[in-house]
Amino acid sequence: MQKIPIDLARPGMKLAKAVTKENGMTIMAEGMELTDSLLSRLENMKVDRITVQGHPVDMGGAGSGTVYAERMERLEVLFRRYGKDKWMMRVKDRMAQYFRIKAAAQEAKRKAMEAAEAEDQDGGNGDVVPENGGGE
């Protein structure tokens, strides 16, 4: 099971945990297969992370060069004195997981923006207009 940003979720993935609102009400049940429309609904409900079955997304290198990746790198320095304190190491691990998820989401947004810009640029050049303007 893997917790991923909603930006990295794809149709066909299955939920490993139910998606719930802040009040505990279940929005989507465990085991549901995601579709485009379900992903749109989750985004509209401001759900930012979900837990899916397996490990479909490699987030090890995702987000390198992002603000969150830089924060993740700083954790080693910030927690260097607490190597023997198991509780502080748990805090560090939780923070690293959070930053990894945020970095992956930030990277996904960047790639989506680049793809949209490339599509906009190609959209104007890809249409073929007849010499007579197409109206005659």
PDB file of all heavy atoms in Angstrom, residues 4-10 43 48 57-59 61-64 66 68 100-116:
ATOM      1  N   ILE A   4      -0.247   8.384  -1.856  1.00  0.00           N
ATOM      2  CA  ILE A   4       0.228   9.209  -2.959  1.00  0.00           C
ATOM      3  C   ILE A   4      -0.598  10.493  -3.059  1.00  0.00           C
ATOM      4  O   ILE A   4      -1.749  10.533  -2.633  1.00  0.00           O
ATOM      5  CB  ILE A   4       0.163   8.452  -4.310  1.00  0.00           C
ATOM      6  CG1 ILE A   4      -1.276   8.066  -4.651  1.00  0.00           C
ATOM      7  CG2 ILE A   4       1.076   7.246  -4.302  1.00  0.00           C
ATOM      8  CD1 ILE A   4      -1.462   7.506  -6.048  1.00  0.00           C
ATOM      9  N   PRO A   5      -0.019  11.531  -3.656  1.00  0.00           N
ATOM     10  CA  PRO A   5      -0.799  12.736  -3.913  1.00  0.00           C
ATOM     11  C   PRO A   5      -1.865  12.433  -4.960  1.00  0.00           C
ATOM     12  O   PRO A   5      -1.650  11.618  -5.855  1.00  0.00           O
ATOM     13  CB  PRO A   5       0.217  13.741  -4.459  1.00  0.00           C
ATOM     14  CG  PRO A   5       1.545  13.108  -4.352  1.00  0.00           C
ATOM     15  CD  PRO A   5       1.362  11.669  -4.052  1.00  0.00           C
ATOM     16  N   ILE A   6      -2.992  13.080  -4.877  1.00  0.00           N
ATOM     17  CA  ILE A   6      -4.087  12.843  -5.827  1.00  0.00           C
ATOM     18  C   ILE A   6      -3.629  13.150  -7.250  1.00  0.00           C
ATOM     19  O   ILE A   6      -4.111  12.538  -8.204  1.00  0.00           O
ATOM     20  CB  ILE A   6      -5.353  13.646  -5.421  1.00  0.00           C
ATOM     21  CG1 ILE A   6      -6.588  13.149  -6.168  1.00  0.00           C
ATOM     22  CG2 ILE A   6      -5.148  15.118  -5.646  1.00  0.00           C
ATOM     23  CD1 ILE A   6      -7.062  11.804  -5.753  1.00  0.00           C
ATOM     24  N   ASP A   7      -2.668  14.057  -7.409  1.00  0.00           N
ATOM     25  CA  ASP A   7      -2.148  14.406  -8.735  1.00  0.00           C
ATOM     26  C   ASP A   7      -1.487  13.225  -9.433  1.00  0.00           C
ATOM     27  O   ASP A   7      -1.406  13.190 -10.658  1.00  0.00           O
ATOM     28  CB  ASP A   7      -1.122  15.540  -8.631  1.00  0.00           C
ATOM     29  CG  ASP A   7      -1.698  16.805  -8.051  1.00  0.00           C
ATOM     30  OD1 ASP A   7      -2.942  16.927  -8.005  1.00  0.00           O
ATOM     31  OD2 ASP A   7      -0.923  17.676  -7.636  1.00  0.00           O
ATOM     32  N   LEU A   8      -0.992  12.267  -8.658  1.00  0.00           N
ATOM     33  CA  LEU A   8      -0.306  11.116  -9.249  1.00  0.00           C
ATOM     34  C   LEU A   8      -1.214   9.896  -9.395  1.00  0.00           C
ATOM     35  O   LEU A   8      -0.794   8.877  -9.921  1.00  0.00           O
ATOM     36  CB  LEU A   8       0.921  10.750  -8.404  1.00  0.00           C
ATOM     37  CG  LEU A   8       1.992  11.834  -8.293  1.00  0.00           C
ATOM     38  CD1 LEU A   8       3.144  11.351  -7.431  1.00  0.00           C
ATOM     39  CD2 LEU A   8       2.491  12.268  -9.645  1.00  0.00           C
ATOM     40  N   ALA A   9      -2.442  10.005  -8.915  1.00  0.00           N
ATOM     41  CA  ALA A   9      -3.383   8.884  -9.039  1.00  0.00           C
ATOM     42  C   ALA A   9      -3.839   8.749 -10.481  1.00  0.00           C
ATOM     43  O   ALA A   9      -4.019   9.736 -11.188  1.00  0.00           O
ATOM     44  CB  ALA A   9      -4.580   9.113  -8.119  1.00  0.00           C
ATOM     45  N   ARG A  10      -4.026   7.517 -10.906  1.00  0.00           N
ATOM     46  CA  ARG A  10      -4.428   7.238 -12.282  1.00  0.00           C
ATOM     47  C   ARG A  10      -5.613   6.273 -12.284  1.00  0.00           C
ATOM     48  O   ARG A  10      -5.756   5.454 -11.369  1.00  0.00           O
ATOM     49  CB  ARG A  10      -3.271   6.613 -13.076  1.00  0.00           C
ATOM     50  CG  ARG A  10      -2.053   7.503 -13.195  1.00  0.00           C
ATOM     51  CD  ARG A  10      -2.331   8.691 -14.097  1.00  0.00           C
ATOM     52  NE  ARG A  10      -1.216   9.611 -14.126  1.00  0.00           N
ATOM     53  CZ  ARG A  10      -1.212  10.819 -13.573  1.00  0.00           C
ATOM     54  NH1 ARG A  10      -2.277  11.238 -12.926  1.00  0.00           N
ATOM     55  NH2 ARG A  10      -0.179  11.602 -13.659  1.00  0.00           N
ATOM     56  N   GLU A  43     -10.775  15.435  -6.468  1.00  0.00           N
ATOM     57  CA  GLU A  43     -10.115  16.735  -6.592  1.00  0.00           C
ATOM     58  C   GLU A  43     -11.080  17.864  -6.244  1.00  0.00           C
ATOM     59  O   GLU A  43     -10.707  18.826  -5.586  1.00  0.00           O
ATOM     60  CB  GLU A  43      -9.557  16.909  -8.000  1.00  0.00           C
ATOM     61  CG  GLU A  43      -8.336  16.035  -8.251  1.00  0.00           C
ATOM     62  CD  GLU A  43      -7.859  16.060  -9.693  1.00  0.00           C
ATOM     63  OE1 GLU A  43      -8.502  16.728 -10.543  1.00  0.00           O
ATOM     64  OE2 GLU A  43      -6.849  15.413  -9.971  1.00  0.00           O
ATOM     65  N   ASP A  48      -6.364  15.665  -1.015  1.00  0.00           N
ATOM     66  CA  ASP A  48      -5.026  15.850  -1.562  1.00  0.00           C
ATOM     67  C   ASP A  48      -4.189  14.571  -1.609  1.00  0.00           C
ATOM     68  O   ASP A  48      -3.252  14.479  -2.393  1.00  0.00           O
ATOM     69  CB  ASP A  48      -4.276  16.952  -0.817  1.00  0.00           C
ATOM     70  CG  ASP A  48      -4.088  16.653   0.654  1.00  0.00           C
ATOM     71  OD1 ASP A  48      -4.782  15.767   1.176  1.00  0.00           O
ATOM     72  OD2 ASP A  48      -3.250  17.313   1.285  1.00  0.00           O
ATOM     73  N   VAL A  57       3.561   4.002  -7.798  1.00  0.00           N
ATOM     74  CA  VAL A  57       4.265   5.239  -8.110  1.00  0.00           C
ATOM     75  C   VAL A  57       5.620   5.226  -7.433  1.00  0.00           C
ATOM     76  O   VAL A  57       5.711   5.063  -6.219  1.00  0.00           O
ATOM     77  CB  VAL A  57       3.452   6.471  -7.623  1.00  0.00           C
ATOM     78  CG1 VAL A  57       4.204   7.751  -7.932  1.00  0.00           C
ATOM     79  CG2 VAL A  57       2.088   6.483  -8.260  1.00  0.00           C
ATOM     80  N   ASP A  58       6.681   5.386  -8.225  1.00  0.00           N
ATOM     81  CA  ASP A  58       8.020   5.488  -7.667  1.00  0.00           C
ATOM     82  C   ASP A  58       8.257   6.937  -7.294  1.00  0.00           C
ATOM     83  O   ASP A  58       8.414   7.790  -8.163  1.00  0.00           O
ATOM     84  CB  ASP A  58       9.062   5.030  -8.690  1.00  0.00           C
ATOM     85  CG  ASP A  58      10.488   5.187  -8.183  1.00  0.00           C
ATOM     86  OD1 ASP A  58      10.685   5.291  -6.958  1.00  0.00           O
ATOM     87  OD2 ASP A  58      11.407   5.208  -9.021  1.00  0.00           O
ATOM     88  N   MET A  59       8.246   7.229  -6.007  1.00  0.00           N
ATOM     89  CA  MET A  59       8.421   8.601  -5.563  1.00  0.00           C
ATOM     90  C   MET A  59       9.834   8.846  -5.052  1.00  0.00           C
ATOM     91  O   MET A  59      10.118   9.893  -4.491  1.00  0.00           O
ATOM     92  CB  MET A  59       7.393   8.946  -4.481  1.00  0.00           C
ATOM     93  CG  MET A  59       5.990   8.925  -5.015  1.00  0.00           C
ATOM     94  SD  MET A  59       4.770   9.698  -3.948  1.00  0.00           S
ATOM     95  CE  MET A  59       4.912   8.764  -2.450  1.00  0.00           C
ATOM     96  N   GLY A  61      12.697   9.454  -6.702  1.00  0.00           N
ATOM     97  CA  GLY A  61      13.339  10.588  -7.343  1.00  0.00           C
ATOM     98  C   GLY A  61      12.370  11.677  -7.719  1.00  0.00           C
ATOM     99  O   GLY A  61      12.764  12.713  -8.224  1.00  0.00           O
ATOM    100  N   ALA A  62      11.089  11.449  -7.511  1.00  0.00           N
ATOM    101  CA  ALA A  62      10.101  12.447  -7.902  1.00  0.00           C
ATOM    102  C   ALA A  62      10.267  13.696  -7.075  1.00  0.00           C
ATOM    103  O   ALA A  62      10.465  13.644  -5.877  1.00  0.00           O
ATOM    104  CB  ALA A  62       8.690  11.893  -7.735  1.00  0.00           C
ATOM    105  N   GLY A  63      10.197  14.800  -7.743  1.00  0.00           N
ATOM    106  CA  GLY A  63      10.236  16.058  -7.032  1.00  0.00           C
ATOM    107  C   GLY A  63      11.622  16.574  -6.744  1.00  0.00           C
ATOM    108  O   GLY A  63      11.768  17.549  -6.007  1.00  0.00           O
ATOM    109  N   SER A  64      12.661  15.953  -7.318  1.00  0.00           N
ATOM    110  CA  SER A  64      13.997  16.473  -7.064  1.00  0.00           C
ATOM    111  C   SER A  64      14.073  17.887  -7.625  1.00  0.00           C
ATOM    112  O   SER A  64      13.566  18.177  -8.695  1.00  0.00           O
ATOM    113  CB  SER A  64      15.050  15.574  -7.699  1.00  0.00           C
ATOM    114  OG  SER A  64      14.832  15.479  -9.082  1.00  0.00           O
ATOM    115  N   THR A  66      12.648  20.407  -6.085  1.00  0.00           N
ATOM    116  CA  THR A  66      11.506  21.162  -5.579  1.00  0.00           C
ATOM    117  C   THR A  66      11.804  21.667  -4.173  1.00  0.00           C
ATOM    118  O   THR A  66      12.757  21.223  -3.525  1.00  0.00           O
ATOM    119  CB  THR A  66      10.234  20.285  -5.530  1.00  0.00           C
ATOM    120  OG1 THR A  66      10.450  19.226  -4.596  1.00  0.00           O
ATOM    121  CG2 THR A  66       9.893  19.702  -6.888  1.00  0.00           C
ATOM    122  N   TYR A  68      10.129  21.056  -1.542  1.00  0.00           N
ATOM    123  CA  TYR A  68       9.950  19.972  -0.573  1.00  0.00           C
ATOM    124  C   TYR A  68      11.136  19.008  -0.592  1.00  0.00           C
ATOM    125  O   TYR A  68      11.504  18.455   0.442  1.00  0.00           O
ATOM    126  CB  TYR A  68       8.641  19.237  -0.830  1.00  0.00           C
ATOM    127  CG  TYR A  68       7.443  20.104  -0.513  1.00  0.00           C
ATOM    128  CD1 TYR A  68       6.669  20.657  -1.521  1.00  0.00           C
ATOM    129  CD2 TYR A  68       7.104  20.395   0.805  1.00  0.00           C
ATOM    130  CE1 TYR A  68       5.584  21.470  -1.218  1.00  0.00           C
ATOM    131  CE2 TYR A  68       6.031  21.201   1.115  1.00  0.00           C
ATOM    132  CZ  TYR A  68       5.272  21.738   0.098  1.00  0.00           C
ATOM    133  OH  TYR A  68       4.213  22.545   0.401  1.00  0.00           O
ATOM    134  N   ARG A 100       8.158  13.912   0.856  1.00  0.00           N
ATOM    135  CA  ARG A 100       8.243  13.093  -0.355  1.00  0.00           C
ATOM    136  C   ARG A 100       6.930  13.174  -1.140  1.00  0.00           C
ATOM    137  O   ARG A 100       6.923  13.348  -2.353  1.00  0.00           O
ATOM    138  CB  ARG A 100       8.576  11.650   0.026  1.00  0.00           C
ATOM    139  CG  ARG A 100       9.189  10.853  -1.074  1.00  0.00           C
ATOM    140  CD  ARG A 100       9.742   9.480  -0.662  1.00  0.00           C
ATOM    141  NE  ARG A 100       9.399   8.953   0.631  1.00  0.00           N
ATOM    142  CZ  ARG A 100      10.157   9.043   1.732  1.00  0.00           C
ATOM    143  NH1 ARG A 100      11.302   9.667   1.701  1.00  0.00           N
ATOM    144  NH2 ARG A 100       9.767   8.508   2.869  1.00  0.00           N
ATOM    145  N   ILE A 101       5.813  13.084  -0.430  1.00  0.00           N
ATOM    146  CA  ILE A 101       4.500  13.179  -1.073  1.00  0.00           C
ATOM    147  C   ILE A 101       4.300  14.567  -1.674  1.00  0.00           C
ATOM    148  O   ILE A 101       3.869  14.713  -2.815  1.00  0.00           O
ATOM    149  CB  ILE A 101       3.380  12.845  -0.068  1.00  0.00           C
ATOM    150  CG1 ILE A 101       3.384  11.352   0.240  1.00  0.00           C
ATOM    151  CG2 ILE A 101       2.009  13.279  -0.583  1.00  0.00           C
ATOM    152  CD1 ILE A 101       2.503  10.950   1.393  1.00  0.00           C
ATOM    153  N   LYS A 102       4.625  15.601  -0.919  1.00  0.00           N
ATOM    154  CA  LYS A 102       4.465  16.968  -1.405  1.00  0.00           C
ATOM    155  C   LYS A 102       5.398  17.250  -2.588  1.00  0.00           C
ATOM    156  O   LYS A 102       5.007  17.926  -3.544  1.00  0.00           O
ATOM    157  CB  LYS A 102       4.721  17.975  -0.287  1.00  0.00           C
ATOM    158  CG  LYS A 102       3.625  18.019   0.743  1.00  0.00           C
ATOM    159  CD  LYS A 102       2.352  18.494   0.099  1.00  0.00           C
ATOM    160  CE  LYS A 102       1.385  19.040   1.097  1.00  0.00           C
ATOM    161  NZ  LYS A 102       0.196  19.596   0.478  1.00  0.00           N
ATOM    162  N   ALA A 103       6.624  16.732  -2.529  1.00  0.00           N
ATOM    163  CA  ALA A 103       7.565  16.932  -3.642  1.00  0.00           C
ATOM    164  C   ALA A 103       7.054  16.252  -4.906  1.00  0.00           C
ATOM    165  O   ALA A 103       7.134  16.811  -6.002  1.00  0.00           O
ATOM    166  CB  ALA A 103       8.947  16.393  -3.267  1.00  0.00           C
ATOM    167  N   ALA A 104       6.510  15.050  -4.763  1.00  0.00           N
ATOM    168  CA  ALA A 104       5.968  14.338  -5.920  1.00  0.00           C
ATOM    169  C   ALA A 104       4.779  15.087  -6.507  1.00  0.00           C
ATOM    170  O   ALA A 104       4.636  15.204  -7.723  1.00  0.00           O
ATOM    171  CB  ALA A 104       5.562  12.918  -5.525  1.00  0.00           C
ATOM    172  N   ALA A 105       3.927  15.629  -5.646  1.00  0.00           N
ATOM    173  CA  ALA A 105       2.775  16.403  -6.123  1.00  0.00           C
ATOM    174  C   ALA A 105       3.226  17.670  -6.823  1.00  0.00           C
ATOM    175  O   ALA A 105       2.693  18.040  -7.874  1.00  0.00           O
ATOM    176  CB  ALA A 105       1.852  16.737  -4.956  1.00  0.00           C
ATOM    177  N   GLN A 106       4.223  18.337  -6.261  1.00  0.00           N
ATOM    178  CA  GLN A 106       4.734  19.561  -6.869  1.00  0.00           C
ATOM    179  C   GLN A 106       5.355  19.258  -8.234  1.00  0.00           C
ATOM    180  O   GLN A 106       5.142  19.996  -9.195  1.00  0.00           O
ATOM    181  CB  GLN A 106       5.767  20.196  -5.929  1.00  0.00           C
ATOM    182  CG  GLN A 106       6.162  21.599  -6.300  1.00  0.00           C
ATOM    183  CD  GLN A 106       7.095  22.213  -5.264  1.00  0.00           C
ATOM    184  OE1 GLN A 106       7.755  21.509  -4.488  1.00  0.00           O
ATOM    185  NE2 GLN A 106       7.162  23.522  -5.244  1.00  0.00           N
ATOM    186  N   GLU A 107       6.074  18.160  -8.339  1.00  0.00           N
ATOM    187  CA  GLU A 107       6.681  17.753  -9.606  1.00  0.00           C
ATOM    188  C   GLU A 107       5.605  17.398 -10.628  1.00  0.00           C
ATOM    189  O   GLU A 107       5.708  17.750 -11.806  1.00  0.00           O
ATOM    190  CB  GLU A 107       7.617  16.564  -9.378  1.00  0.00           C
ATOM    191  CG  GLU A 107       8.286  16.051 -10.626  1.00  0.00           C
ATOM    192  CD  GLU A 107       9.343  16.987 -11.175  1.00  0.00           C
ATOM    193  OE1 GLU A 107       9.703  17.976 -10.512  1.00  0.00           O
ATOM    194  OE2 GLU A 107       9.815  16.729 -12.293  1.00  0.00           O
ATOM    195  N   ALA A 108       4.544  16.714 -10.190  1.00  0.00           N
ATOM    196  CA  ALA A 108       3.448  16.356 -11.092  1.00  0.00           C
ATOM    197  C   ALA A 108       2.764  17.604 -11.634  1.00  0.00           C
ATOM    198  O   ALA A 108       2.434  17.678 -12.823  1.00  0.00           O
ATOM    199  CB  ALA A 108       2.434  15.464 -10.375  1.00  0.00           C
ATOM    200  N   LYS A 109       2.562  18.600 -10.788  1.00  0.00           N
ATOM    201  CA  LYS A 109       1.954  19.857 -11.236  1.00  0.00           C
ATOM    202  C   LYS A 109       2.845  20.565 -12.242  1.00  0.00           C
ATOM    203  O   LYS A 109       2.377  21.109 -13.238  1.00  0.00           O
ATOM    204  CB  LYS A 109       1.674  20.776 -10.046  1.00  0.00           C
ATOM    205  CG  LYS A 109       0.462  20.378  -9.264  1.00  0.00           C
ATOM    206  CD  LYS A 109       0.178  21.354  -8.154  1.00  0.00           C
ATOM    207  CE  LYS A 109      -1.033  20.898  -7.354  1.00  0.00           C
ATOM    208  NZ  LYS A 109      -1.352  21.798  -6.265  1.00  0.00           N
ATOM    209  N   ARG A 110       4.151  20.550 -11.982  1.00  0.00           N
ATOM    210  CA  ARG A 110       5.088  21.192 -12.905  1.00  0.00           C
ATOM    211  C   ARG A 110       5.042  20.520 -14.274  1.00  0.00           C
ATOM    212  O   ARG A 110       4.972  21.181 -15.304  1.00  0.00           O
ATOM    213  CB  ARG A 110       6.508  21.147 -12.340  1.00  0.00           C
ATOM    214  CG  ARG A 110       7.528  21.896 -13.211  1.00  0.00           C
ATOM    215  CD  ARG A 110       8.951  21.660 -12.730  1.00  0.00           C
ATOM    216  NE  ARG A 110       9.368  20.287 -12.834  1.00  0.00           N
ATOM    217  CZ  ARG A 110       9.730  19.685 -13.981  1.00  0.00           C
ATOM    218  NH1 ARG A 110       9.702  20.324 -15.107  1.00  0.00           N
ATOM    219  NH2 ARG A 110      10.115  18.421 -13.990  1.00  0.00           N
ATOM    220  N   LYS A 111       5.046  19.186 -14.271  1.00  0.00           N
ATOM    221  CA  LYS A 111       4.993  18.454 -15.534  1.00  0.00           C
ATOM    222  C   LYS A 111       3.676  18.691 -16.262  1.00  0.00           C
ATOM    223  O   LYS A 111       3.645  18.810 -17.482  1.00  0.00           O
ATOM    224  CB  LYS A 111       5.197  16.958 -15.290  1.00  0.00           C
ATOM    225  CG  LYS A 111       6.622  16.599 -14.964  1.00  0.00           C
ATOM    226  CD  LYS A 111       6.782  15.112 -14.758  1.00  0.00           C
ATOM    227  CE  LYS A 111       8.223  14.763 -14.435  1.00  0.00           C
ATOM    228  NZ  LYS A 111       8.389  13.333 -14.198  1.00  0.00           N
ATOM    229  N   ALA A 112       2.578  18.765 -15.527  1.00  0.00           N
ATOM    230  CA  ALA A 112       1.277  19.026 -16.138  1.00  0.00           C
ATOM    231  C   ALA A 112       1.254  20.409 -16.771  1.00  0.00           C
ATOM    232  O   ALA A 112       0.718  20.590 -17.874  1.00  0.00           O
ATOM    233  CB  ALA A 112       0.165  18.893 -15.106  1.00  0.00           C
ATOM    234  N   MET A 113       1.838  21.392 -16.093  1.00  0.00           N
ATOM    235  CA  MET A 113       1.906  22.749 -16.647  1.00  0.00           C
ATOM    236  C   MET A 113       2.762  22.781 -17.907  1.00  0.00           C
ATOM    237  O   MET A 113       2.394  23.422 -18.895  1.00  0.00           O
ATOM    238  CB  MET A 113       2.465  23.725 -15.605  1.00  0.00           C
ATOM    239  CG  MET A 113       1.562  23.939 -14.413  1.00  0.00           C
ATOM    240  SD  MET A 113       0.022  24.747 -14.844  1.00  0.00           S
ATOM    241  CE  MET A 113       0.613  26.383 -15.147  1.00  0.00           C
ATOM    242  N   GLU A 114       3.883  22.069 -17.889  1.00  0.00           N
ATOM    243  CA  GLU A 114       4.737  22.017 -19.075  1.00  0.00           C
ATOM    244  C   GLU A 114       4.014  21.351 -20.235  1.00  0.00           C
ATOM    245  O   GLU A 114       4.106  21.805 -21.373  1.00  0.00           O
ATOM    246  CB  GLU A 114       6.038  21.265 -18.770  1.00  0.00           C
ATOM    247  CG  GLU A 114       7.010  22.044 -17.924  1.00  0.00           C
ATOM    248  CD  GLU A 114       8.251  21.243 -17.562  1.00  0.00           C
ATOM    249  OE1 GLU A 114       8.337  20.049 -17.941  1.00  0.00           O
ATOM    250  OE2 GLU A 114       9.134  21.804 -16.901  1.00  0.00           O
ATOM    251  N   ALA A 115       3.289  20.270 -19.941  1.00  0.00           N
ATOM    252  CA  ALA A 115       2.545  19.571 -20.994  1.00  0.00           C
ATOM    253  C   ALA A 115       1.451  20.466 -21.565  1.00  0.00           C
ATOM    254  O   ALA A 115       1.229  20.497 -22.780  1.00  0.00           O
ATOM    255  CB  ALA A 115       1.947  18.282 -20.447  1.00  0.00           C
ATOM    256  N   ALA A 116       0.769  21.215 -20.702  1.00  0.00           N
ATOM    257  CA  ALA A 116      -0.288  22.118 -21.158  1.00  0.00           C
ATOM    258  C   ALA A 116       0.291  23.232 -22.021  1.00  0.00           C
ATOM    259  O   ALA A 116      -0.276  23.599 -23.049  1.00  0.00           O
ATOM    260  CB  ALA A 116      -1.040  22.691 -19.968  1.00  0.00           C
TER     261      ALA A 116
END
